[in-house]
Amino acid sequence: MGGVIQTPLTRRFDLRTPVVGAPMAGVAGGALARAVSAAGGLGMIGVGNAATPEFVAEQAALPAADELPFGVGLMAWVLADHPELLEATIAARPSLVSISFGDPAPFTGPLHEAGIAVATQVNTVADVERALAAGVDVLVAQGTEAGGHTGHRATLPLLQEVLALADRPVLAAGGIATGRGMAAALAAGAAGVWIGTPLLACPEALNSPAARARACAAAGEDTVLTRAFDVAQGLAWPERWPGRALVNDFSRTWHGREGALAGDAAARARVVEARATGDLDAAPLYAGEAIGLVTAERSAGDTVREMDAEAQRALRAAASLLD
């Protein structure tokens, strides 16, 4: 039987499935966002610390050309020095903008004045309280299982605490890569799921074929939560948000030795060069603990549709437990 999962998220943004594609910088561009939205979810465009206003406009034009809803993900610690990224985002007219990794309060007002909903990822109870005070519209409970920069709390206990505190839609992020995982989050009370790792092997992504192949070959035990890559690149990422990436030669050598790494110019230069050349033995490939469930390259549309169908089957099966 077919059907539609309806939640406060799907109703607010007129979606056919409560799936949001995480705004992964360097991976989630306009083509990936368009594909996720065309499949009934809400695709997001990731804006990294080195992005330009031109990048925002070019990528946003792809889903906008098909009149699809889309979102943009910005980092609060970057916007402090690059307000032009917020201006370009507002000009692109997305349905949703996430302001994460810092205080969203300075940016919520301008976005609301432009008629744009605001989301923020939260990793602690203090983050939740700050987000609520800032007036954000959607909370994303991001567990440490998530790929990329994240906190230290596991998704399920964090999600339950956020749901107890929040009076607005809460999405679950971290460790969700199948319809079963999606159903579990919805059954717990989430209004939707925020997925990144399942989209790492999609041809619509901005990453390289080699990165997609590496993602497909990785096991769930092959990730590490580390600051080594940020230290090597001299990035101003706040220390409380390390990044979960696939283990490689560089992280095996330097994870836990970030103090020594800061003083080793040659080691730091290796990561910078690796990012430029696509050398995945030294460059970071951010991925979550659910990476073992990503086994083959497939389109974002198929990924979203399969998750939705499997979630519906799982929810129906769970309902039978009450008979």
Side-chain angles (χ1 to χ4, degrees):
M1 291 187 298
V4 176
I5 300 172
Q6 295 188 32
T7 74
L9 178 79
T10 61
R11 288 189 286 270
R12 171 149 192 174
F13 297 101
D14 194 24
L15 309 178
R16 299 193 304 278
T17 184
V19 174
V20 177
M24 301 173 286
V27 176
L32 185 62
R34 177 175 58 192
V36 170
S37 294
L42 182 65
M44 300 277 287
I45 295 166
V47 179
N49 61 288
T52 64
E54 291 74 21
F55 170 85
V56 175
E58 291 167 1
Q59 298 303 313
L62 297 179
D66 292 338
E67 298 184 345
L68 292 167
F70 69 95
V72 175
L74 302 170
M75 298 180 292
W77 67 270
V78 172
L79 292 180
D81 293 324
H82 296 282
E84 69 275 10
L85 294 176
L86 181 65
E87 295 169 3
T89 296
I90 291 173
R93 307 299 302 169
S95 301
L96 178 70
V97 170
S98 67
I99 305 287
S100 299
F101 308 112
D103 187 2
F107 316 105
T108 303
L111 288 164
H112 281 167
E113 289 172 8
I116 299 170
V118 181
T120 191
Q121 295 181 94
V122 295
N123 309 102
T124 66
V125 168
D127 289 343
V128 177
E129 294 169 346
R130 181 172 63 180
L132 294 175
V136 302
D137 305 287
V138 178
L139 298 174
V140 182
Q142 185 204 39
T144 192
E145 300 95 322
H149 291 83
T150 186
H152 301 272
R153 297 283 311 277
T155 301
L156 185 56
L158 177 64
L159 173 63
Q160 294 171 85
E161 286 200 52
V162 178
L163 286 167
L165 294 169
D167 59 354
R168 60 210 67 187
V170 176
L171 310 185
I176 300 167
T178 66
R180 292 185 181 91
M182 175 176 164
L186 295 174
V193 294
W194 178 279
I195 62 168
T197 296
L199 303 176
L200 287 177
C202 297
E204 300 94 338
L206 294 174
N207 57 1
S208 67
R212 296 196 288 273
R214 179 72 67 93
C216 292
E221 295 80 15
D222 293 342
T223 72
V224 60
L225 188 64
T226 184
R227 294 189 59 248
F229 296 112
D230 292 336
V231 171
Q233 297 171 87
L235 298 179
W237 266 101
E239 290 188 15
R240 59 165 293 201
W241 289 292
R244 185 172 297 283
L246 293 185
V247 173
N248 62 11
D249 290 346
F250 186 85
S251 67
R252 290 188 188 95
T253 301
W254 292 106
H255 173 56
R257 300 178 58 218
E258 286 82 4
L261 175 60
D264 192 322
R268 297 198 313 274
R270 184 186 176 203
V271 175
V272 174
E273 181 180 0
R275 291 209 69 169
T277 61
D279 176 9
L280 296 175
D281 289 332
L285 198 170
Y286 291 112
E289 290 187 351
I291 191 64
L293 295 163
V294 179
T295 58
E297 185 169 320
R298 60 178 176 168
S299 72
D302 286 346
T303 299
V304 171
R305 284 187 289 268
E306 182 176 320
M307 282 190 70
D308 180 76
E310 186 180 56
Q312 292 192 41
R313 292 193 295 270
L315 289 169
R316 292 191 185 98
S320 70
L321 296 176
L322 296 175
D323 292 342

